[in-house]
Amino acid sequence: MGGQGPNRCRVDEEVLDGEGGSPREARTSTLARLTEEDFRRAEDFISLMKVLYTSTLCVSSEKSPTCGQILPILHKLQAHLTVKEGDTVFVSNLKKQVWANLSKRYQNDEIRHFLQVATALDPRFKHKLNDDDTAWDQIQRRLIEQSTEEGVGADGDTMQSEKRPEKEAEEENEEEKESQPPPCKLSRKTPLEELFAEEEAQNIVSQQSTMSIKKHVEKELQIYKEIPPTIMSEDPAAWWWNQRKTYPLLSDLAFSYLCVQASSTPSERVFFTAGDTICPERSRILPEKADMIIFLNKNCF
């Protein structure tokens, strides 16, 4: 310790004498300083990641974070993260690394097809499928299968006639009777036709039912495609509920897809709300009342 004192004093004297500069300059010379290039990179980083931050807020929001918006958001990010002329090396490398991570998401074929159908059934993004007929074909096939299983509309003509007034239906029936030619003599059925008459009648009714359901589905899809997309602030579930009379088949299918959330964030918030509701001071609360309190908290505020 005794030998270090004079040496330390000598160093301090040299600094104070000006040989090593002022004490403040000696301290700051060893610190890293932000240059103009560093500030410019920080600004480029904020500008580039702002869209990603906004996209995260979209899929994590409390209101209408449906899975139908995932693919449109990914397309938006892909266009934003594409390297363009004039980008610096820092921005180009950052874009490549971020998109290399995002491009690995939702690559499973089954999940991809599900998201395409959900996007088509979202009235805000139905025009962002880039004329991909795969999703629309899948929707048409699902609607026909669903209608056939439920037995909706055994005959399309009957469905339409039930909605028309009785007087109009009677007038049309009279006109059809007048325009019909006189009945001709029916040919006698063969023994084979008599034997399988019931099965053949059932096949004819089934074919007519399938054809009528297909026409009804095609009509709904055509009307839905022709209307303009809704604004982004529109709640897709509320829109389909208000349009359920116009699209009775499509609305049921849309509810089964749009009930899927875009992320797990809203459901995780419900768990936090449940933790605040069922606390040690309220540990004896009934499960039914806890459900009611949580439901009111998430839907009335």
Side-chain angles (χ1 to χ4, degrees):
M1 295 294 296
Q4 293 179 0
N7 294 333
R8 182 175 180 181
C9 294
R10 190 178 300 109
V11 173
D12 293 340
E13 290 176 357
E14 292 178 357
V15 172
L16 293 175
D17 291 340
E19 296 180 4
S22 64
R24 180 174 297 178
E25 291 178 355
R27 289 193 300 269
T28 57
S29 61
T30 59
L31 298 178
R33 298 180 180 179
L34 292 175
T35 63
E36 293 295 332
E37 179 68 16
D38 295 331
F39 282 110
R40 187 176 61 80
R41 287 186 176 184
E43 292 175 354
D44 292 341
F45 178 84
I46 294 174
S47 177
L48 183 65
M49 303 304 289
K50 184 178 180 180
V51 178
L52 188 62
Y53 172 73
T54 306
S55 302
T56 305
L57 294 180
C58 291
V59 299
S60 304
S61 63
E62 287 280 352
K63 302 294 183 180
S64 308
T66 64
C67 61
Q69 63 188 15
I70 292 179
L71 292 183
I73 289 176
L74 280 178
H75 294 159
K76 185 80 173 180
L77 290 174
Q78 183 179 7
H80 179 69
L81 297 173
T82 301
V83 179
K84 303 178 179 64
E85 294 184 3
D87 289 342
T88 61
V89 177
F90 172 76
V91 173
S92 301
N93 293 336
L94 188 59
K95 285 183 176 181
K96 292 178 181 178
Q97 292 179 10
V98 174
W99 180 245
N101 184 279
L102 291 176
S103 60
K104 300 177 183 178
R105 313 295 177 91
Y106 309 107
Q107 294 301 313
N108 182 275
D109 292 339
E110 185 176 356
I111 296 177
R112 194 80 179 184
H113 292 159
F114 182 90
L115 294 178
Q116 288 176 351
V117 174
T119 304
L121 293 175
D122 194 322
R124 301 169 298 179
F125 304 110
K126 62 176 183 175
H127 64 294
K128 294 185 177 297
L129 289 177
N130 300 324
D131 298 331
D132 188 5
D133 295 333
T134 305
W136 297 110
D137 293 340
Q138 188 173 355
I139 291 174
Q140 181 175 347
R141 186 169 58 256
R142 288 290 304 275
L143 287 175
I144 294 175
E145 293 175 355
Q146 178 179 335
S147 302
T148 304
E149 292 175 358
E150 296 177 355
V152 177
D155 190 350
D157 298 334
T158 304
M159 292 174 58
Q160 298 297 330
S161 62
E162 289 176 356
K163 299 179 182 179
R164 294 178 297 182
E166 295 180 359
K167 292 183 179 180
E168 294 182 3
E170 292 178 358
E171 292 177 358
E172 291 184 1
N173 291 334
E174 292 178 0
E175 293 178 358
E176 290 178 359
K177 290 180 180 179
E178 293 177 357
S179 61
Q180 287 179 355
C184 58
K185 186 178 180 179
L186 297 177
S187 59
R188 185 177 179 180
K189 292 184 178 180
T190 63
L192 187 63
E193 290 176 337
E194 292 180 0
L195 183 62
F196 293 97
E198 294 182 0
E199 290 83 351
E200 189 173 10
Q202 291 178 358
N203 292 334
I204 293 174
V205 171
S206 177
Q207 291 176 1
Q208 292 177 350
S209 175
T210 303
M211 291 298 294
S212 62
I213 291 174
K214 184 177 180 181
K215 290 180 181 179
H216 192 64
V217 168
E218 290 177 352
K219 183 178 179 181
E220 282 195 21
L221 283 175
Q222 186 65 27
I223 297 174
Y224 175 65
K225 288 180 181 180
E226 290 177 355
I227 62 173
T230 61
I231 58 177
M232 294 300 167
S233 59
E234 184 79 37
D235 186 348
W239 186 89
W240 278 111
W241 178 256
N242 295 329
Q243 300 292 331
R244 65 188 184 280
K245 293 183 179 180
T246 307
Y247 310 100
L249 301 177
L250 266 175
S251 59
D252 291 339
L253 185 64
F255 288 137
S256 64
Y257 276 85
L258 298 181
C259 65
V260 180
Q261 298 176 340
S263 68
S264 61
T265 304
S267 59
E268 291 172 358
R269 292 195 183 105
V270 176
F271 285 103
F272 283 111
T273 304
D276 296 335
T277 303
I278 308 173
C279 55
E281 291 78 9
R282 307 173 70 182
S283 59
R284 298 185 65 183
I285 189 173
L286 295 177
E288 294 80 6
K289 183 169 288 187
D291 291 340
M292 294 171 61
I293 294 174
I294 295 171
F295 177 83
L296 293 175
N297 181 276
K298 304 306 293 186
N299 293 276
C300 297
F301 296 98

